[in-house]
Amino acid sequence: MNGLQKTIFLLPLSFLVPVSILSMMSCTKNPVAGDAIIAPDIRQISGRVVLNDESTPDSVFIWLEGFDLNTRSDKDGQFTLALPLGSETVAQKLSGIYHLYFYVANYYWESAIVIVNNGILLLSRGDVDEKGRLKHKIKLIKILEMKAKTEPDTITEKYNGIVNVHVSLTALEEPVIVKFPKISGQALAGAILRNDEGEMFFIENSGATERSVIVKDEVSEWDLPIFYKPGIVPIGDYEIVPYILIWQYGIPEGLLKSIGEDAEGFGPAYLGIPFKRQVGRLTILPEPDQRM
């Protein structure tokens, strides 16, 4: 019989897999997780940061993008950053590769790679080991030296005259862009006085404008004259912090916002920016006839 013939191939039972199971099998490979260790109980990243000039590595600002989480290092450079529980925030929806940033204003910033799947930290992936610690310590390289000296550094409460803060800046690696948000002519025009109790006083000279300069490896010297009048600040010991900013390429805007609202502005949040510097000191004493 010369009709149309059909050939039917019979598969062994071991090859007969339901379509629903095939679909499920095709989805088990997660492109983010891969062969990483997933341990939901480990919800923190820890590690250590050091400074190349052997300064005490405390208060380094550490920020995880995406999650907008931050912490600071202790005096030994150790830190721990806890990830929120997925049920508490939208963190359970976050998956991907994120940068963990390390920031001090006058050091090159650094970052480490953190990989997350549905809000859960993936271990043994990126720069994180199987215990949730960074595989290597982070080293920050200093790029600018700032020293300030006050003359005179001791006055009495009725002193009426100029207290000058002499500021020297030196670039250590390559030229650094320094922004003076408040400057008057060739003199700095903004400073913050802070006493041991944390009280702050903001000194701004009239006619202040803004300017950016490039600081090179030779010393760049500036003066910050404070026109002191009796009673403008109480008796006590103060540190004098010149108001300057350092520009670095690639710092995320979210990092600075996480430090504080308007952290680069002339206000209390400015002192939250980590900056390894030598500040000026000023002691204001009572008049001699009031010391007994």
Side-chain angles (χ1 to χ4, degrees), residues 72-88:
R72 294 182 188 251
S73 58
D74 65 18
K75 63 181 179 62
D76 298 316
Q78 301 286 348
F79 74 91
T80 299
L81 182 66
L83 273 64
L85 294 173
S87 59
E88 295 176 350

Side-chain angles (χ1 to χ4, degrees), residues 25-289:
M25 291 172 61
S26 66
C27 295
T28 57
K29 183 69 174 179
N30 189 307
V32 175
D35 56 357
I37 300 172
I38 300 178
D41 292 338
I42 299 180
R43 303 198 62 84
Q44 63 183 28
I45 307 165
S46 60
R48 185 179 177 221
V49 57
V50 298
L51 306 179
N52 74 313
D53 62 338
E54 298 185 352
S55 295
T56 303
D58 63 317
S59 301
V60 174
F61 190 74
I62 300 159
W63 178 73
L64 180 59
E65 66 175 344
F67 290 79
D68 194 23
L69 299 173
N70 69 77
T71 188
R72 294 182 188 251
S73 58
D74 65 18
K75 63 181 179 62
D76 298 316
Q78 301 286 348
F79 74 91
T80 299
L81 182 66
L83 273 64
L85 294 173
S87 59
E88 295 176 350
T89 68
V90 296
Q92 61 181 339
K93 300 179 181 179
L94 294 178
S95 295
I97 299 173
Y98 297 92
H99 288 87
L100 182 66
Y101 287 89
F102 300 82
Y103 174 70
V104 177
N106 56 325
Y107 290 72
Y108 283 130
W109 60 268
E110 285 289 349
S111 67
I113 296 296
V114 174
I115 303 179
V116 176
N117 183 39
N118 293 327
I120 297 176
L121 178 66
L122 299 188
L123 307 179
S124 295
R125 294 296 300 274
D127 292 320
V128 179
D129 69 13
E130 70 280 1
K131 295 182 179 180
R133 284 189 62 85
L134 294 186
K135 296 175 182 177
H136 308 286
K137 65 183 178 183
I138 301 295
K139 178 181 284 189
L140 303 186
I141 307 298
K142 192 171 187 178
I143 59 174
L144 185 79
E145 182 83 52
M146 191 197 95
K147 296 181 179 180
K149 182 179 180 181
T150 309
E151 297 178 352
D153 59 6
T154 303
I155 60 175
T156 59
E157 60 179 325
K158 292 185 179 180
Y159 177 82
N160 192 340
I162 293 178
V163 174
N164 187 61
V165 184
H166 185 74
V167 180
S168 63
L169 303 171
T170 309
L172 303 178
E173 292 291 320
E174 56 186 21
V176 177
I177 297 177
V178 176
K179 180 179 178 182
F180 299 123
K182 295 186 181 296
I183 193 167
S184 180
Q186 294 298 314
L188 304 184
I192 302 172
L193 277 66
R194 179 170 60 181
N195 62 21
D196 295 338
E197 286 71 44
E199 292 181 290
M200 301 179 200
F201 301 87
F202 298 85
I203 307 297
E204 180 179 1
N205 295 339
S206 61
T209 57
E210 181 180 304
R211 185 196 307 171
S212 294
V213 299
I214 297 177
V215 176
K216 301 181 180 180
D217 55 359
E218 64 268 18
V219 178
S220 176
E221 298 185 331
W222 302 81
D223 286 313
L224 195 165
I226 298 174
F227 300 95
Y228 186 89
K229 293 183 179 181
I232 63 171
V233 293
I235 294 169
D237 293 317
Y238 295 87
E239 63 176 11
I240 303 179
V241 182
Y243 177 40
I244 69 172
L245 300 171
I246 299 174
W247 184 87
Q248 285 196 60
Y249 177 79
I251 297 177
E253 183 179 348
L255 182 151
L256 294 173
K257 287 184 177 180
S258 189
I259 290 176
E261 188 67 29
D262 195 26
E264 293 189 313
F266 191 48
Y270 171 74
L271 294 180
I273 296 177
F275 196 143
K276 298 292 183 179
R277 60 199 156 196
Q278 177 183 308
V279 299
R281 303 290 307 186
L282 178 65
T283 299
I284 303 175
L285 300 173
E287 292 300 312
D289 58 352

